[in-house]
Coordinates of all heavy atoms in Angstrom, one line a residue:
M281 N 19.4 11.1 -39.5 CA 18.5 11.3 -38.4 C 19.3 11.5 -37.1 O 20.2 10.7 -36.8 CB 17.5 10.2 -38.2 CG 16.6 10.4 -37.0 SD 15.1 9.5 -36.7 CE 15.2 7.9 -37.4
I282 N 19.0 12.5 -36.3 CA 19.6 12.7 -35.0 C 18.7 12.3 -33.9 O 17.6 12.6 -33.8 CB 20.0 14.2 -34.9 CG1 20.9 14.7 -36.0 CG2 20.6 14.5 -33.5 CD1 21.1 16.2 -36.0
I283 N 19.3 11.4 -33.0 CA 18.5 10.9 -31.9 C 19.2 11.5 -30.6 O 20.4 11.3 -30.4 CB 18.5 9.4 -31.8 CG1 17.8 8.9 -33.1 CG2 17.8 8.9 -30.6 CD1 17.9 7.3 -33.2
E284 N 18.4 12.2 -29.8 CA 18.9 12.8 -28.6 C 18.4 12.0 -27.4 O 17.1 11.8 -27.3 CB 18.4 14.2 -28.5 CG 19.0 15.0 -27.3 CD 18.6 16.4 -27.4 OE1 18.5 17.0 -28.5 OE2 18.3 16.9 -26.3
T285 N 19.2 11.5 -26.6 CA 18.8 10.8 -25.4 C 19.1 11.6 -24.1 O 20.1 12.3 -24.0 CB 19.5 9.4 -25.2 OG1 20.9 9.7 -25.2 CG2 19.2 8.5 -26.4
I286 N 18.1 11.6 -23.2 CA 18.3 12.4 -22.0 C 18.2 11.4 -20.9 O 17.3 10.6 -20.8 CB 17.1 13.4 -21.8 CG1 17.1 14.4 -23.0 CG2 17.2 14.1 -20.5 CD1 15.9 15.3 -23.0
S287 N 19.2 11.4 -20.0 CA 19.2 10.5 -18.9 C 19.0 11.3 -17.6 O 19.7 12.4 -17.4 CB 20.6 9.7 -18.8 OG 21.6 10.6 -18.6
Y288 N 18.1 10.9 -16.8 CA 17.7 11.6 -15.6 C 18.4 10.9 -14.4 O 18.6 9.7 -14.4 CB 16.2 11.7 -15.4 CG 15.5 12.5 -16.4 CD1 14.8 11.9 -17.4 CD2 15.6 13.9 -16.4 CE1 14.1 12.7 -18.4 CE2 14.9 14.7 -17.3 CZ 14.2 14.1 -18.3 OH 13.6 14.8 -19.3
L289 N 18.6 11.7 -13.3 CA 19.2 11.2 -12.1 C 18.2 11.4 -11.0 O 17.4 12.4 -11.0 CB 20.5 11.9 -11.8 CG 21.6 11.7 -12.9 CD1 22.8 12.5 -12.5 CD2 22.0 10.2 -13.1
C290 N 18.3 10.6 -9.9 CA 17.5 10.8 -8.7 C 17.9 12.1 -8.1 O 19.1 12.4 -8.0 CB 17.8 9.6 -7.8 SG 17.0 9.8 -6.2
T291 N 16.9 12.8 -7.6 CA 17.2 14.1 -7.0 C 17.9 14.0 -5.6 O 18.5 14.9 -5.1 CB 16.0 15.0 -6.8 OG1 15.0 14.2 -6.1 CG2 15.4 15.3 -8.2
R292 N 17.8 12.8 -5.0 CA 18.4 12.6 -3.6 C 19.8 12.0 -3.7 O 20.8 12.5 -3.2 CB 17.5 11.8 -2.8 CG 18.1 11.6 -1.4 CD 17.3 10.6 -0.5 NE 16.0 11.1 -0.2 CZ 15.0 10.4 0.2 NH1 15.1 9.1 0.3 NH2 13.8 10.9 0.5
C293 N 19.9 10.8 -4.4 CA 21.1 10.0 -4.4 C 21.9 10.1 -5.7 O 22.9 9.5 -5.8 CB 20.8 8.6 -4.0 SG 19.9 7.7 -5.3
Q294 N 21.4 10.8 -6.7 CA 22.0 11.0 -8.0 C 22.2 9.7 -8.7 O 23.1 9.5 -9.6 CB 23.4 11.7 -7.8 CG 23.3 13.0 -7.2 CD 22.4 14.0 -7.9 OE1 22.4 14.1 -9.1 NE2 21.5 14.7 -7.1
S295 N 21.4 8.7 -8.4 CA 21.4 7.4 -9.1 C 20.7 7.5 -10.4 O 19.6 8.2 -10.5 CB 20.8 6.3 -8.2 OG 20.6 5.1 -9.0
A296 N 21.1 6.7 -11.4 CA 20.4 6.7 -12.7 C 19.4 5.5 -12.7 O 18.7 5.3 -13.8 CB 21.4 6.5 -13.9
N297 N 19.2 4.8 -11.6 CA 18.4 3.7 -11.5 C 16.9 4.1 -11.1 O 16.5 3.8 -10.0 CB 19.0 2.7 -10.5 CG 18.3 1.3 -10.7 OD1 17.6 1.0 -11.6 ND2 18.6 0.5 -9.7
I298 N 16.2 4.8 -12.0 CA 14.9 5.3 -11.7 C 13.9 4.8 -12.8 O 14.3 4.4 -13.9 CB 14.8 6.9 -11.7 CG1 15.3 7.5 -13.0 CG2 15.7 7.4 -10.5 CD1 15.1 9.0 -13.0
Y299 N 12.6 4.8 -12.4 CA 11.6 4.4 -13.3 C 10.4 5.3 -13.1 O 10.2 5.9 -12.1 CB 11.2 2.9 -13.1 CG 10.7 2.6 -11.8 CD1 9.3 2.5 -11.6 CD2 11.5 2.3 -10.7 CE1 8.7 2.1 -10.4 CE2 10.9 1.9 -9.5 CZ 9.6 1.9 -9.4 OH 9.0 1.6 -8.1
K300 N 9.6 5.3 -14.2 CA 8.4 6.2 -14.2 C 7.3 5.5 -13.3 O 7.1 4.3 -13.3 CB 7.8 6.3 -15.6 CG 6.8 7.4 -15.7 CD 6.5 7.7 -17.2 CE 5.6 8.8 -17.4 NZ 5.3 9.1 -18.7
N301 N 6.7 6.3 -12.4 CA 5.8 5.8 -11.4 C 4.5 6.6 -11.4 O 4.1 7.1 -10.4 CB 6.5 5.9 -10.0 CG 5.7 5.1 -9.0 OD1 5.0 4.1 -9.3 ND2 5.8 5.5 -7.8
G302 N 3.8 6.7 -12.6 CA 2.5 7.4 -12.6 C 2.6 8.9 -12.7 O 3.7 9.5 -13.1
H303 N 1.5 9.6 -12.4 CA 1.4 11.0 -12.4 C 0.9 11.6 -11.1 O 0.1 10.9 -10.4 CB 0.5 11.5 -13.6 CG 1.1 11.1 -14.9 ND1 0.9 9.9 -15.5 CD2 1.8 11.9 -15.8 CE1 1.5 9.9 -16.7 NE2 2.0 11.1 -16.9
N304 N 1.2 12.8 -10.8 CA 0.6 13.5 -9.6 C -0.6 14.3 -10.0 O -1.1 14.2 -11.1 CB 1.7 14.3 -8.9 CG 2.1 15.5 -9.8 OD1 1.6 15.8 -10.8 ND2 3.1 16.2 -9.3
K305 N -1.2 15.0 -9.1 CA -2.5 15.7 -9.3 C -2.3 16.8 -10.4 O -3.3 17.1 -11.1 CB -2.9 16.4 -8.0 CG -3.4 15.5 -7.0 CD -3.9 16.2 -5.8 CE -4.4 15.2 -4.7 NZ -4.9 16.0 -3.5
S306 N -1.1 17.4 -10.6 CA -0.9 18.4 -11.6 C -0.7 17.8 -13.0 O -0.7 18.5 -13.9 CB 0.3 19.2 -11.3 OG 0.5 19.5 -10.0
G307 N -0.6 16.5 -13.0 CA -0.3 15.9 -14.3 C 1.1 15.7 -14.6 O 1.5 15.2 -15.7
N308 N 2.0 16.0 -13.7 CA 3.5 15.8 -13.9 C 3.8 14.3 -13.7 O 3.2 13.7 -12.9 CB 4.3 16.6 -12.9 CG 4.1 18.1 -13.1 OD1 3.8 18.5 -14.2 ND2 4.4 18.8 -12.0
A309 N 4.7 13.8 -14.5 CA 5.2 12.4 -14.4 C 6.0 12.3 -13.1 O 6.9 13.1 -12.9 CB 6.0 12.0 -15.6
Q310 N 5.7 11.3 -12.3 CA 6.5 11.0 -11.1 C 7.4 9.9 -11.4 O 7.1 8.9 -12.2 CB 5.6 10.6 -10.0 CG 4.9 11.8 -9.4 CD 4.3 11.4 -8.0 OE1 3.5 10.4 -8.0 NE2 4.5 12.2 -7.0
F311 N 8.6 9.9 -10.8 CA 9.6 8.9 -10.9 C 10.0 8.4 -9.6 O 10.0 9.1 -8.6 CB 10.8 9.5 -11.7 CG 10.6 9.8 -13.1 CD1 10.1 11.1 -13.4 CD2 10.8 8.9 -14.1 CE1 9.8 11.4 -14.8 CE2 10.6 9.2 -15.4 CZ 10.0 10.4 -15.8
R312 N 10.4 7.1 -9.5 CA 10.8 6.5 -8.3 C 12.2 5.9 -8.4 O 12.5 5.2 -9.4 CB 9.8 5.4 -7.9 CG 10.1 4.8 -6.5 CD 8.8 4.0 -6.0 NE 9.0 3.7 -4.7 CZ 8.6 4.4 -3.6 NH1 8.0 5.6 -3.9 NH2 8.7 4.0 -2.4
C313 N 13.0 6.1 -7.4 CA 14.4 5.6 -7.5 C 14.4 4.2 -6.9 O 13.8 4.0 -5.8 CB 15.3 6.5 -6.7 SG 17.0 6.0 -6.6
K314 N 15.0 3.3 -7.6 CA 15.1 1.9 -7.1 C 16.1 1.8 -6.0 O 16.1 0.8 -5.2 CB 15.5 0.9 -8.2 CG 14.3 0.8 -9.2 CD 14.7 -0.3 -10.3 CE 13.6 -0.4 -11.3 NZ 14.0 -1.4 -12.3
D315 N 17.1 2.7 -5.9 CA 18.1 2.6 -4.9 C 17.7 3.2 -3.5 O 17.8 2.5 -2.5 CB 19.4 3.3 -5.4 CG 20.0 2.6 -6.6 OD1 19.7 1.4 -6.8 OD2 20.7 3.3 -7.4
C316 N 17.2 4.4 -3.5 CA 16.9 5.0 -2.2 C 15.4 5.1 -2.0 O 15.0 5.4 -0.9 CB 17.4 6.5 -2.2 SG 16.7 7.6 -3.3
G317 N 14.5 4.8 -3.0 CA 13.1 4.7 -2.8 C 12.4 6.1 -2.9 O 11.2 6.1 -2.7
R318 N 13.1 7.1 -3.2 CA 12.5 8.4 -3.3 C 11.5 8.5 -4.5 O 11.9 8.1 -5.6 CB 13.5 9.5 -3.3 CG 12.9 10.9 -3.4 CD 14.0 12.0 -3.5 NE 13.4 13.3 -3.6 CZ 13.5 14.2 -2.7 NH1 14.1 13.9 -1.6 NH2 12.9 15.3 -2.8
S319 N 10.4 9.1 -4.3 CA 9.4 9.4 -5.4 C 9.4 10.9 -5.6 O 9.1 11.6 -4.6 CB 8.1 8.8 -5.0 OG 7.2 9.0 -6.1
S320 N 9.6 11.3 -6.8 CA 9.6 12.8 -7.0 C 9.3 13.1 -8.4 O 9.3 12.2 -9.3 CB 11.0 13.4 -6.6 OG 12.0 12.8 -7.5
V321 N 9.1 14.4 -8.7 CA 8.8 14.9 -10.0 C 10.1 15.5 -10.5 O 10.8 16.3 -9.8 CB 7.7 16.0 -10.0 CG1 7.5 16.6 -11.4 CG2 6.4 15.3 -9.5
L322 N 10.5 15.2 -11.7 CA 11.8 15.7 -12.2 C 11.7 17.1 -12.8 O 12.6 17.9 -12.7 CB 12.3 14.8 -13.3 CG 12.7 13.3 -12.9 CD1 13.1 12.5 -14.0 CD2 13.7 13.4 -11.8
K323 N 10.5 17.4 -13.4 CA 10.3 18.8 -13.9 C 9.0 19.3 -13.4 O 8.0 19.2 -14.1 CB 10.3 18.7 -15.4 CG 11.6 18.3 -16.1 CD 11.5 18.4 -17.6 CE 12.8 18.0 -18.2 NZ 12.7 18.0 -19.7
P324 N 9.0 20.0 -12.3 CA 7.7 20.5 -11.8 C 7.2 21.6 -12.7 O 8.0 22.4 -13.3 CB 8.1 21.1 -10.4 CG 9.4 20.6 -10.1 CD 10.1 20.2 -11.3
K325 N 5.9 21.7 -12.8 CA 5.3 22.7 -13.7 C 5.2 24.1 -13.1 O 5.6 25.1 -13.7 CB 3.8 22.3 -14.1 CG 3.7 21.2 -15.1 CD 2.3 21.0 -15.4 CE 2.1 19.8 -16.4 NZ 0.7 19.5 -16.7
I326 N 4.8 24.2 -11.8 CA 4.6 25.5 -11.2 C 5.8 25.8 -10.3 O 6.1 25.0 -9.4 CB 3.3 25.5 -10.4 CG1 2.1 25.2 -11.3 CG2 3.1 26.8 -9.6 CD1 0.8 25.1 -10.5
K327 N 6.3 26.9 -10.6 CA 7.4 27.5 -9.7 C 7.0 28.9 -9.3 O 6.6 29.7 -10.1 CB 8.7 27.5 -10.5 CG 9.4 26.2 -10.8 CD 10.2 25.8 -9.6 CE 11.0 24.6 -9.9 NZ 11.9 24.2 -8.9
Y328 N 7.1 29.2 -8.1 CA 6.8 30.5 -7.5 C 8.2 31.2 -7.2 O 9.0 30.6 -6.7 CB 6.0 30.4 -6.3 CG 4.6 29.8 -6.5 CD1 4.3 28.5 -6.2 CD2 3.6 30.6 -7.0 CE1 3.1 28.0 -6.4 CE2 2.3 30.1 -7.2 CZ 2.1 28.8 -6.9 OH 0.8 28.3 -7.1
T329 N 8.3 32.4 -7.6 CA 9.5 33.2 -7.3 C 9.5 33.6 -5.9 O 8.4 33.5 -5.2 CB 9.6 34.5 -8.2 OG1 8.5 35.3 -7.8 CG2 9.5 34.1 -9.7
E330 N 10.6 33.9 -5.3 CA 10.7 34.3 -3.9 C 9.9 35.6 -3.7 O 9.3 35.7 -2.6 CB 12.2 34.6 -3.6 CG 13.0 33.3 -3.5 CD 12.5 32.3 -2.6 OE1 12.1 32.6 -1.5 OE2 12.5 31.1 -3.0
E331 N 9.8 36.5 -4.6 CA 8.9 37.7 -4.5 C 7.5 37.3 -4.3 O 6.7 37.8 -3.5 CB 9.1 38.6 -5.6 CG 10.5 39.3 -5.7 CD 11.5 38.4 -6.4 OE1 11.1 37.5 -7.1 OE2 12.7 38.6 -6.1
Q332 N 7.0 36.3 -5.2 CA 5.6 35.9 -5.1 C 5.3 35.2 -3.7 O 4.3 35.4 -3.1 CB 5.3 34.9 -6.2 CG 5.2 35.6 -7.6 CD 5.1 34.6 -8.7 OE1 5.6 33.5 -8.6 NE2 4.4 34.9 -9.7
K333 N 6.3 34.4 -3.3 CA 6.1 33.7 -2.0 C 6.0 34.7 -0.9 O 5.2 34.6 0.0 CB 7.3 32.7 -1.7 CG 7.3 31.5 -2.6 CD 8.5 30.6 -2.2 CE 8.6 29.4 -3.1 NZ 9.8 28.6 -2.8
E334 N 6.9 35.7 -0.9 CA 6.9 36.7 0.1 C 5.6 37.5 0.1 O 5.1 37.8 1.2 CB 8.1 37.7 -0.1 CG 8.3 38.7 1.0 CD 9.5 39.5 0.8 OE1 10.4 39.1 0.0 OE2 9.6 40.6 1.4
L335 N 5.1 37.8 -1.0 CA 3.8 38.5 -1.1 C 2.7 37.7 -0.5 O 1.9 38.2 0.2 CB 3.5 38.9 -2.6 CG 2.1 39.5 -2.9 CD1 2.0 40.9 -2.3 CD2 1.9 39.5 -4.4
M336 N 2.6 36.4 -0.8 CA 1.6 35.5 -0.3 C 1.7 35.4 1.2 O 0.7 35.4 1.9 CB 1.7 34.2 -1.0 CG 1.3 34.2 -2.4 SD 1.3 32.6 -3.2 CE 2.1 32.9 -4.7
I337 N 2.9 35.2 1.7 CA 3.1 35.1 3.2 C 2.7 36.4 3.9 O 2.0 36.3 4.9 CB 4.6 34.7 3.5 CG1 4.9 33.3 3.0 CG2 4.9 34.9 4.9 CD1 6.3 32.9 3.0
N338 N 3.1 37.5 3.3 CA 2.7 38.8 3.9 C 1.2 39.0 3.9 O 0.6 39.6 4.9 CB 3.5 40.0 3.3 CG 4.9 40.0 3.6 OD1 5.4 39.4 4.6 ND2 5.7 40.6 2.7
T339 N 0.6 38.6 2.8 CA -0.9 38.8 2.7 C -1.5 37.9 3.8 O -2.5 38.3 4.4 CB -1.4 38.4 1.3 OG1 -0.7 39.2 0.3 CG2 -2.9 38.6 1.2
Y340 N -1.0 36.7 4.0 CA -1.6 35.8 5.0 C -1.4 36.4 6.4 O -2.3 36.3 7.2 CB -1.0 34.4 4.9 CG -1.5 33.5 6.0 CD1 -2.7 32.9 5.9 CD2 -0.7 33.2 7.1 CE1 -3.2 32.1 7.0 CE2 -1.1 32.4 8.2 CZ -2.4 31.8 8.0 OH -2.8 31.0 9.1
L341 N -0.2 36.9 6.6 CA 0.1 37.5 8.0 C -0.7 38.8 8.2 O -0.9 39.1 9.4 CB 1.6 37.8 8.1 CG 2.5 36.6 8.1 CD1 3.9 37.0 8.1 CD2 2.1 35.6 9.2
E342 N -1.3 39.4 7.2 CA -2.2 40.5 7.4 C -3.6 40.1 7.5 O -4.5 40.8 7.1 CB -2.0 41.5 6.2 CG -0.7 42.2 6.1 CD -0.5 43.2 7.2 OE1 -1.6 43.8 7.6 OE2 0.6 43.4 7.7
R343 N -3.8 38.9 8.0 CA -5.1 38.3 8.3 C -5.9 37.9 7.0 O -7.1 37.9 7.0 CB -6.0 39.3 9.1 CG -5.4 39.6 10.4 CD -5.4 38.5 11.3 NE -5.0 38.9 12.7 CZ -4.7 38.1 13.6 NH1 -4.9 36.8 13.5 NH2 -4.3 38.6 14.8
G344 N -5.2 37.5 6.0 CA -5.9 36.9 4.8 C -6.3 35.5 5.1 O -5.5 34.8 5.7
S345 N -7.4 35.0 4.6 CA -7.8 33.7 4.9 C -7.2 32.7 3.9 O -6.8 33.1 2.8 CB -9.4 33.5 4.7 OG -9.7 33.7 3.4
L346 N -7.0 31.5 4.3 CA -6.4 30.5 3.4 C -7.2 30.3 2.2 O -6.7 30.1 1.1 CB -6.2 29.2 4.2 CG -5.0 29.1 5.1 CD1 -5.0 27.8 5.9 CD2 -3.7 29.3 4.4
R347 N -8.5 30.2 2.3 CA -9.4 30.0 1.2 C -9.3 31.2 0.2 O -9.3 31.0 -1.0 CB -10.8 29.8 1.6 CG -11.7 29.4 0.5 CD -13.0 28.9 0.9 NE -12.8 27.6 1.6 CZ -13.8 26.7 1.9 NH1 -15.0 27.0 1.5 NH2 -13.5 25.6 2.5
G348 N -9.2 32.4 0.8 CA -9.1 33.6 -0.1 C -7.8 33.6 -0.8 O -7.7 34.0 -2.0
M349 N -6.7 33.1 -0.1 CA -5.4 33.1 -0.8 C -5.4 32.1 -1.9 O -4.8 32.3 -2.9 CB -4.3 32.6 0.3 CG -4.2 33.6 1.4 SD -3.4 35.1 1.0 CE -1.8 34.5 0.8
Q350 N -6.1 31.0 -1.7 CA -6.2 29.9 -2.7 C -6.9 30.5 -4.0 O -6.5 30.3 -5.1 CB -7.0 28.7 -2.2 CG -7.1 27.6 -3.2 CD -7.8 26.4 -2.6 OE1 -8.3 26.4 -1.5 NE2 -7.7 25.3 -3.3
R351 N -8.0 31.3 -3.8 CA -8.7 31.8 -4.9 C -7.9 32.9 -5.6 O -7.9 33.0 -6.8 CB -10.1 32.4 -4.4 CG -11.1 31.4 -4.1 CD -12.5 32.1 -3.9 NE -12.5 33.1 -2.9 CZ -12.8 33.0 -1.7 NH1 -13.2 31.8 -1.2 NH2 -12.8 34.0 -0.8
L352 N -7.3 33.8 -4.8 CA -6.6 34.9 -5.3 C -5.3 34.6 -6.0 O -5.0 35.0 -7.1 CB -6.2 35.9 -4.1 CG -5.6 37.2 -4.5 CD1 -6.6 38.0 -5.4 CD2 -5.3 38.0 -3.2
F353 N -4.5 33.7 -5.4 CA -3.1 33.4 -6.0 C -3.1 32.0 -6.7 O -2.1 31.7 -7.3 CB -2.1 33.4 -4.9 CG -1.9 34.8 -4.3 CD1 -2.3 35.1 -3.0 CD2 -1.3 35.8 -5.1 CE1 -2.1 36.3 -2.5 CE2 -1.2 37.1 -4.6 CZ -1.5 37.3 -3.2
G354 N -4.1 31.1 -6.4 CA -4.0 29.8 -7.0 C -3.0 28.9 -6.3 O -2.5 27.9 -7.0
V355 N -2.7 29.1 -5.1 CA -1.8 28.3 -4.3 C -2.6 27.4 -3.4 O -3.6 27.8 -2.8 CB -0.7 29.1 -3.6 CG1 -1.3 30.0 -2.6 CG2 0.4 28.3 -3.0
A356 N -2.1 26.2 -3.2 CA -2.8 25.2 -2.3 C -2.5 25.7 -0.8 O -1.4 26.2 -0.5 CB -2.3 23.8 -2.5
P357 N -3.5 25.5 0.1 CA -3.3 25.9 1.5 C -2.2 25.2 2.1 O -1.4 25.7 2.9 CB -4.7 25.5 2.1 CG -5.6 25.5 1.0 CD -4.9 25.1 -0.2
Q358 N -2.0 23.9 1.8 CA -0.8 23.1 2.4 C 0.5 23.7 2.0 O 1.4 23.8 2.8 CB -0.9 21.7 1.9 CG -2.1 20.9 2.4 CD -3.3 21.1 1.4 OE1 -3.2 21.8 0.4 NE2 -4.4 20.4 1.7
T359 N 0.6 24.2 0.7 CA 1.8 24.8 0.2 C 2.1 26.1 1.0 O 3.2 26.3 1.4 CB 1.7 25.1 -1.3 OG1 1.4 23.9 -2.0 CG2 3.0 25.7 -1.8
L360 N 1.1 26.9 1.1 CA 1.2 28.2 1.8 C 1.6 28.0 3.3 O 2.5 28.7 3.8 CB -0.1 29.0 1.7 CG -0.1 30.3 2.4 CD1 0.9 31.2 1.7 CD2 -1.5 31.0 2.3
M361 N 1.0 27.0 4.0 CA 1.3 26.7 5.4 C 2.8 26.2 5.5 O 3.5 26.6 6.4 CB 0.4 25.7 6.0 CG -1.1 26.3 6.2 SD -1.1 27.8 7.1 CE -0.5 27.3 8.6
G362 N 3.2 25.5 4.5 CA 4.6 25.0 4.5 C 5.6 26.2 4.4 O 6.6 26.3 5.1
W363 N 5.3 27.2 3.6 CA 6.1 28.4 3.4 C 6.1 29.2 4.7 O 7.1 29.7 5.1 CB 5.6 29.2 2.2 CG 5.8 28.6 0.9 CD1 6.6 27.6 0.5 CD2 5.1 29.0 -0.3 NE1 6.5 27.3 -0.8 CE2 5.5 28.2 -1.3 CE3 4.1 30.0 -0.6 CZ2 5.1 28.3 -2.6 CZ3 3.7 30.1 -1.9 CH2 4.1 29.2 -2.9
I364 N 4.9 29.3 5.3 CA 4.8 30.1 6.5 C 5.6 29.5 7.7 O 6.3 30.2 8.4 CB 3.3 30.3 6.9 CG1 2.6 31.2 5.9 CG2 3.2 30.9 8.3 CD1 1.1 31.2 6.0
K365 N 5.5 28.2 7.8 CA 6.3 27.5 8.8 C 7.8 27.7 8.6 O 8.6 27.9 9.5 CB 6.0 26.0 8.9 CG 4.6 25.7 9.4 CD 4.3 24.3 9.4 CE 2.9 24.0 9.9 NZ 2.5 22.6 9.8
K366 N 8.3 27.6 7.3 CA 9.7 27.8 7.0 C 10.1 29.2 7.3 O 11.2 29.4 7.8 CB 10.0 27.5 5.5 CG 10.0 26.0 5.2 CD 10.4 25.8 3.8 CE 10.3 24.3 3.4 NZ 10.6 24.0 2.0
S367 N 9.3 30.2 7.0 CA 9.7 31.6 7.3 C 9.7 31.8 8.8 O 10.6 32.6 9.2 CB 8.7 32.5 6.6 OG 7.4 32.5 7.3
K368 N 8.9 31.2 9.6 CA 8.9 31.4 11.0 C 10.2 30.7 11.6 O 10.8 31.3 12.5 CB 7.7 30.8 11.7 CG 6.5 31.6 11.5 CD 5.3 31.1 12.2 CE 4.1 31.9 12.0 NZ 2.9 31.4 12.7
Q369 N 10.6 29.6 11.1 CA 11.8 28.9 11.5 C 13.0 29.8 11.2 O 14.0 29.8 11.9 CB 11.9 27.5 10.9 CG 11.0 26.5 11.5 CD 11.1 25.2 10.8 OE1 11.8 25.0 9.8 NE2 10.4 24.2 11.3
Q370 N 13.0 30.4 10.0 CA 14.2 31.2 9.6 C 14.3 32.5 10.5 O 15.4 33.0 10.7 CB 14.0 31.6 8.1 CG 14.3 30.5 7.2 CD 14.0 30.8 5.8 OE1 13.6 31.9 5.4 NE2 14.3 29.9 4.9
E371 N 13.1 33.0 11.0 CA 13.1 34.2 11.9 C 13.8 33.8 13.2 O 14.4 34.6 13.8 CB 11.7 34.7 12.1 CG 11.1 35.4 10.9 CD 9.7 35.8 11.1 OE1 9.2 35.6 12.3 OE2 9.1 36.3 10.2
I372 N 13.5 32.6 13.7 CA 14.0 32.1 15.0 C 15.6 32.0 14.9 O 16.3 32.3 15.8 CB 13.4 30.8 15.4 CG1 11.9 31.0 15.7 CG2 14.1 30.2 16.6 CD1 11.1 29.8 15.9
E373 N 16.0 31.5 13.8 CA 17.5 31.2 13.6 C 18.2 32.4 13.4 O 18.5 33.4 13.6 CB 17.8 30.3 12.4 CG 17.2 28.9 12.7 CD 17.3 28.0 11.4 OE1 17.7 28.5 10.4 OE2 17.0 26.9 11.5

């Protein structure tokens, strides 16, 4: 019998001293680091490509509503607003 063990590290401090800390709204397992206190998901389910993010941001900038964006693309309004704020900061720099 072959037994495979996977050891995970904290995404911030790279410590192996982490423990399972429940689940988030998407159902992903959350982990908490005992050293730095960061709580994060090790394997997020939903990933958006840069092209998808750009399409959503451009649709919003063309006067699309947040609720319409949520229905159309399935993205949370808070996530979309975070992307828009980041894109505006990048334009300034």
Side-chain angles (χ1 to χ4, degrees):
M281 176 168 29
I282 299 172
I283 298 174
E284 185 176 322
T285 59
I286 300 171
S287 60
Y288 293 107
L289 300 175
C290 174
T291 54
R292 181 187 291 163
C293 69
Q294 303 304 317
S295 169
N297 196 12
I298 59 175
Y299 64 96
K300 195 169 181 178
N301 192 28
H303 293 84
N304 64 6
K305 289 181 182 180
S306 321
N308 294 336
Q310 283 193 310
F311 293 86
R312 187 166 190 89
C313 178
K314 290 183 180 180
D315 295 335
C316 69
R318 180 180 179 114
S319 179
S320 62
V321 176
L322 297 177
K323 294 182 179 178
K325 283 185 183 176
I326 299 175
K327 288 274 189 176
Y328 295 101
T329 63
E330 291 301 318
E331 292 83 21
Q332 290 173 325
K333 287 180 186 179
E334 187 176 339
L335 174 67
M336 291 181 223
I337 291 169
N338 289 338
T339 305
Y340 176 78
L341 294 176
E342 290 291 328
R343 301 289 187 189
S345 68
L346 283 177
R347 187 167 291 196
M349 301 287 290
Q350 183 178 8
R351 284 192 306 265
L352 186 62
F353 296 111
V355 63
Q358 297 87 355
T359 304
L360 183 61
M361 290 308 295
W363 293 341
I364 291 168
K365 288 177 184 176
K366 283 183 185 176
S367 70
K368 286 183 180 180
Q369 287 177 353
Q370 290 174 355
E371 288 176 4
I372 294 171
E373 296 173 354

